[in-house]
């Protein structure tokens, strides 16, 4: 009898494990907010719904963003920044408080459909030199207890988005293994994920492989076949995505979890900031990725088993991101900062090409340019000042505004600063070298932006004043009506 029960348990364990693996992939997006030209969250949510995007990954738990997601039907992954891991790992009270403030309060009827909590963001990144390694698992254990106390542990899953540098291979994917210093931690982490029904989340960037190595075959970064395939025994790899994914599968197998479901937390291609970052390459990669994943072909090591989810990086450009890795960091969006599609893309969600954001609260159609009647020989310091605050990355090599000439560069820098300052008239002075124009100075693919207003109609901060104004107006009307009777 014991042997029979054991056999049944093993069968159902294997069956459930395979069921987890054989889930059709879903396409989601990352929504980052490191921008000085932020769209109102409600506009972004409407944009996602218009495009039938059913999953979104956040990097924090911004109340304004979560408030806008209420009742949207969009499944949400909220994020915990790495800097909070120490507090959450050391204090169950801090964990309870975080869950209460950022999860439980939204999990009501008509609220936010939070499905995942991302514990840190690439906390095992080599550049962090181990700063967060010992904090991840303790933080997860405390958060799991907090979710259980809130009766949410069965619905909301904890995950850890990992950078692909957490694992490595000397040659072919089947040789993949976690970095030696991570093996013990990864074994604990994956055991936790497995016992709670969570996927392993990995960020995969073939663009970075191409950008960082002159020897990397360009066609191997895309999905149209490669003249430089990687042969790994019976498996042949024609694209870097599959090769990277199966390197992770091999690493998971080496610690005893070869059947672990995997989700791709970030994947995408930038449109500016490097020779290989352009509109045509971004479209080719993202469309190829979507078609490849939704075909359910899987990878050579997991045929017929695609990732459980993929989250495109990113929904919108973020011009306040750190450009230490490269100018391309500010240009990953499939949409520009204002929710306008950069190129035709079919997300495979039955909705055709990308649809643009509507009701965008633009500032007035005016721009700041170099004054054509002034001598511009002393403009260098003004340009440096403007570009130290505003984003001028499109002016550099690999950017869409790299060829507009000296005066064009000056005007672009002036305008970027002017829009950053919400078109304050003083911000277009530059000691008389700038002038406001109502004629769009955009040239070809180089777009001179118009910023986004902090509000549309009544802003949140002046809501009370607006309400008082309307009340006063109606009181005046009422009194006049009474007087006339």
């Amino acid at each position: 009898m014991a042997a029979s029960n054991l056999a049944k348990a093993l069968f159902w364990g294997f069956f459930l494990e395979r069921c987890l693996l054989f889930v059709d992939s879903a396409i989601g997006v990352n929504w980052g907010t490191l921008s000085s030209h932020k769209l109102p969250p409600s506009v972004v949510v409407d944009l996602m719904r218009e495009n039938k995007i059913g999953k979104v990954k956040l990097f924090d738990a911004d109340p304004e963003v979560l408030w806008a997601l209420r009742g949207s039907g969009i499944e949400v992954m909220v994020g915990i920044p790495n800097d909070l891991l120490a507090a959450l790992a050391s204090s169950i009270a801090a964990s309870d408080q975080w869950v209460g403030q950022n999860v439980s309060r939204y999990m009501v009827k008509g609220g936010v459909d939070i499905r995942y909590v991302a514990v840190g963001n690439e906390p095992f990144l080599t550049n962090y030199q181990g700063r967060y390694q010992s904090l991840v698992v303790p933080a997860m254990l405390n958060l799991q207890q907090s979710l259980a106390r809130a009766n949410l542990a069965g619905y909301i899953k904890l995950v850890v988005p990992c950078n692909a540098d957490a694992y490595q291979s000397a040659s072919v994917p089947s040789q993949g293994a976690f970095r030696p210093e991570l093996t013990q931690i990864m074994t604990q982490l994956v055991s936790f994920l497995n016992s709670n029904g969570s996927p392993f989340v990995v960020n995969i960037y073939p663009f970075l492989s191409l950008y960082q190595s002159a020897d990397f075959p360009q066609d191997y970064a895309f999905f149209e076949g490669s003249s430089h395939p990687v042969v790994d025994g019976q498996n042949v790899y024609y694209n870097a995505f599959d090769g990277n994914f199966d390197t992770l599968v091999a690493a998971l197998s080496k610690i005893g979890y070869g059947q672990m479901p995997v989700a791709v937390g970030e994947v995408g291609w930038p449109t500016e900031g490097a020779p290989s970052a352009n509109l045509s390459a971004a479209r080719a990669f993202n469309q190829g990725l979507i078609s490849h994943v939704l075909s359910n072909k899987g990878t050579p090591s997991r045929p017929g088993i695609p990732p459980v989810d993929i989250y495109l990086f990113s929904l919108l450009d973020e011009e306040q991101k750190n450009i230490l890795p490269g100018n391309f960091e500010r240009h990953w969006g499939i949409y520009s900062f204002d929710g306008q599609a950069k190129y035709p893309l079919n997300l495979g969600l039955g909705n055709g090409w990308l649809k643009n954001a509507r009701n965008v609260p633009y500032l007035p159609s005016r721009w700041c340019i170099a004054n054509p009647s002034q001598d511009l020989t002393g403009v260098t310091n003004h340009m440096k000042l403007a570009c130290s605050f505003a984003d001028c990355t499109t002016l550099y090599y690999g950017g869409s505004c790299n060829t507009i000439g000296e005066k064009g560069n000056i005007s672009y820098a002036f305008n970027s600063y002017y829009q950053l300052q919400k078109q304050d008239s003083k911000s277009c002075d530059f000691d008389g070298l700038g002038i406001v124009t109502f004629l769009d100075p955009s040239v070809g693919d180089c777009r001179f932006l118009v910023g986004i207003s902090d509000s549309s109609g009544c802003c949140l901060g002046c809501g009370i004043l607006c309400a008082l104004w309307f009340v006063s107006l109606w009181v005046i009307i009422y009194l006049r009506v009474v007087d006339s009777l």
Side-chain angles (χ1 to χ4, degrees):
M1 180 66 72
S4 175
N5 289 337
L6 177 61
K8 287 180 180 179
L10 289 172
F11 169 78
W12 283 110
F14 176 79
F15 175 77
L16 290 172
E17 189 172 52
R18 299 303 288 177
C19 282
L20 278 173
L21 283 172
F22 282 99
V23 174
D24 285 342
S25 286
I27 306 295
V29 294
N30 285 269
W31 177 5
T33 56
L34 294 176
S35 174
S36 57
H37 304 292
K38 290 183 185 178
L39 281 171
S42 60
V43 172
V44 180
V45 172
D46 287 344
L47 174 65
M48 289 191 288
R49 295 184 69 181
E50 181 74 13
N51 287 280
K52 296 185 179 179
I53 296 171
K55 293 174 180 283
V56 66
K57 177 171 166 282
L58 309 175
F59 293 92
D60 51 22
D62 186 328
E64 289 188 24
V65 169
L66 290 170
W67 186 264
L69 283 162
R70 290 176 311 138
S72 67
I74 297 172
E75 297 179 10
V76 180
M77 180 188 299
V78 296
I80 298 176
N82 292 332
D83 290 343
L84 293 182
L85 293 179
L88 296 172
S90 61
S91 169
I92 190 66
S95 174
D96 286 344
Q97 183 180 32
W98 191 92
V99 168
Q101 290 181 347
N102 300 289
V103 179
S104 301
R105 63 184 292 198
Y106 300 106
M107 299 296 290
V108 296
K109 186 176 181 180
V112 184
D113 189 7
I114 299 174
R115 297 296 185 96
Y116 294 105
V117 173
V119 183
N121 183 42
E122 300 184 332
F124 306 116
L125 196 65
T126 308
N127 290 348
Y128 293 143
Q129 299 180 324
R131 189 186 317 165
Y132 304 111
Q133 283 179 199
S134 64
L135 304 175
V136 175
V137 173
M140 294 188 81
L141 292 173
N142 282 345
L143 287 163
Q144 186 68 19
Q145 291 184 53
S146 298
L147 288 173
R149 275 194 285 273
N151 295 317
L152 294 171
Y155 188 77
I156 297 175
K157 304 300 182 183
L158 299 176
V159 295
V160 180
C162 293
N163 188 279
D165 80 343
Y167 50 91
Q168 54 198 5
S169 171
S171 54
V172 292
S174 62
Q175 299 301 310
F178 289 110
R179 298 199 320 257
E181 72 273 21
L182 293 180
T183 301
Q184 183 178 356
I185 294 172
M186 281 297 179
T187 303
Q188 296 171 351
L189 169 61
V190 176
S191 174
F192 175 92
L193 296 173
N194 184 65
S195 64
N196 288 284
S198 300
F200 188 98
V201 178
V202 62
N203 300 339
I204 298 177
Y205 284 108
F207 167 80
L208 294 179
S209 299
L210 179 62
Y211 176 76
Q212 293 166 355
S213 174
D215 298 325
F216 193 87
Q218 182 160 330
D219 58 359
Y220 189 64
F222 296 90
F223 295 89
E224 296 164 1
S226 174
S227 57
H228 302 82
V230 173
V231 179
D232 184 4
Q234 294 183 339
N235 292 335
V236 181
Y237 293 87
Y238 292 97
N239 66 77
F241 179 85
D242 284 356
N244 196 313
F245 189 93
D246 279 359
T247 303
L248 169 62
V249 172
L252 289 168
S253 296
K254 285 181 174 60
I255 61 171
Y257 293 93
Q259 303 300 317
M260 185 76 190
V262 175
V264 179
E266 295 178 23
V267 60
W269 200 280
T271 56
E272 301 253 5
S276 54
N278 54 66
L279 294 174
S280 60
R283 181 187 182 188
F285 177 83
N286 283 328
Q287 196 64 74
L289 169 74
I290 292 166
S291 299
H292 179 63
V293 170
L294 294 185
S295 71
N296 292 327
K297 291 179 181 177
T299 64
S301 286
R302 286 187 173 181
I305 307 172
V308 291
D309 290 317
I310 66 167
Y311 295 86
L312 293 179
F313 191 86
S314 185
L315 181 64
L316 302 164
D317 281 348
E318 299 173 82
E319 100 291 343
Q320 292 295 310
K321 285 196 72 177
N322 190 316
I323 58 172
L324 188 61
N327 290 333
F328 56 81
E329 278 297 320
R330 296 178 175 177
H331 305 282
W332 288 96
I334 58 176
Y335 286 94
S336 53
F337 73 95
D338 55 352
Q340 306 307 297
K342 295 184 186 177
Y343 47 85
L345 185 68
N346 189 327
L347 296 176
L349 303 174
N351 206 36
W353 302 122
L354 292 178
K355 293 174 173 56
N356 291 331
R358 295 183 291 183
N359 302 316
V360 177
Y362 290 108
L363 293 169
S365 295
R366 56 187 179 220
W367 299 261
C368 178
I369 61 172
N371 191 332
S373 65
Q374 294 293 320
D375 179 4
L376 300 175
T377 54
V379 77
T380 303
N381 288 334
H382 293 294
M383 278 194 69
K384 287 181 178 179
L385 174 68
C387 292
S388 67
F389 290 97
D391 177 41
C392 296
T393 53
T394 57
L395 295 177
Y396 302 121
Y397 181 63
S400 59
C401 299
N402 180 240
T403 60
I404 61 174
E406 184 180 0
K407 285 189 177 179
N409 290 346
I410 296 167
S411 292
Y412 189 92
F414 281 7
N415 184 65
S416 296
Y417 182 77
Y418 176 64
Q419 303 297 339
L420 178 69
Q421 300 299 325
K422 305 300 179 185
Q423 298 185 355
D424 185 317
S425 59
K426 295 178 182 177
S427 66
C428 187
D429 182 47
F430 297 104
D431 288 340
L433 300 181
I435 187 173
V436 173
T437 180
F438 296 92
L439 297 176
D440 188 350
S442 299
V443 181
D445 292 333
C446 177
R447 177 189 175 197
F448 281 58
L449 66 87
V450 172
I452 292 175
S453 173
D454 287 333
S455 63
S456 54
C458 296
C459 67
L460 186 64
C462 66
I464 296 175
L465 292 176
C466 289
L468 290 174
W469 184 86
F470 280 114
V471 170
S472 300
L473 177 63
W474 281 108
V475 169
I476 292 170
I477 294 173
Y478 173 79
L479 292 176
R480 287 183 177 177
V481 171
V482 170
D483 287 342
S484 65
L485 295 177

